[in-house]
Amino acid sequence: MKKKADAIKHHMDTLAALLLFGVFAVCVLAVLLTGADAYRRLTERDREAYDRRSCVQYIATRVRQSDAAGGIGVEPFGDTTALVLGEGDFVTRVYCYEGYIMELYCAAGDTELTPRDGERVMEADSMDAYLTDGLLQIIVVDPNYQYDSMVLSLRSGEGGAA
């Protein structure tokens, strides 16, 4: 009789240990799933912020490369507004067209080209550029309708053609 009671007690101890192990495993799994979800959200947020910032940084870099007296301007181009970079015989136009930031390298006085002729650089819903008193403001709206902006003080000191 005592052996039977000891066997039942031993089975209950084993069952309690297995139950405790199961609770521990479920807790570990819950923590891992919560951590994986948090990691996914953080990386997605960082990727979106990087995409948004990289567009404005790209334009800022192009502006800095062309920053000379009269080398930067903002002018209408088709149905949009283009940032015109460079001076002399050839210029680069940076603008937004059909959901993309576009870049077009062309002759300065070429009027036959349209916004469709440029090369796609990156996705963006819209881009606005304003040039006032040597300050260039760039506003870019990404496909998720979040915007990023930057104001650059042109080093040439004279600004460009408005």
Side-chain angles (χ1 to χ4, degrees), residues 66-122:
S66 301
D67 194 0
I72 298 171
V74 176
E75 62 185 37
F77 183 55
D79 294 337
T80 186
T81 301
L83 182 61
V84 181
L85 308 171
E87 59 182 330
D89 295 337
F90 293 94
V91 295
T92 301
R93 289 186 173 99
V94 179
Y95 54 94
C96 189
Y97 180 72
E98 292 186 348
Y100 289 91
I101 295 294
M102 307 283 278
E103 185 176 276
L104 178 63
Y105 182 73
C106 60
D110 196 341
T111 57
E112 295 179 14
L113 295 173
T114 65
R116 165 182 324 224
D117 297 323
E119 293 291 323
R120 291 179 176 176
V121 177
M122 58 188 65

Side-chain angles (χ1 to χ4, degrees), residues 4-96:
K4 192 172 187 180
D6 285 342
I8 291 174
K9 184 177 180 195
H10 178 68
H11 288 303
M12 292 302 268
D13 289 343
T14 304
L15 186 60
L18 284 175
L19 186 62
L20 185 61
F21 176 73
V23 169
F24 177 73
V26 167
C27 289
V28 167
L29 185 61
V31 167
L32 286 174
L33 290 176
T34 302
D37 185 53
Y39 178 76
R40 181 191 54 78
R41 285 180 302 177
L42 286 172
T43 55
E44 186 176 305
R45 183 198 68 189
D46 288 348
R47 183 176 33 84
E48 288 173 1
Y50 173 78
D51 290 344
R52 200 172 55 249
R53 281 191 317 266
S54 63
C55 191
V56 171
Q57 289 298 326
Y58 164 77
I59 295 169
T61 300
R62 296 293 289 146
V63 166
R64 288 182 184 118
Q65 291 172 347
S66 301
D67 194 0
I72 298 171
V74 176
E75 62 185 37
F77 183 55
D79 294 337
T80 186
T81 301
L83 182 61
V84 181
L85 308 171
E87 59 182 330
D89 295 337
F90 293 94
V91 295
T92 301
R93 289 186 173 99
V94 179
Y95 54 94
C96 189

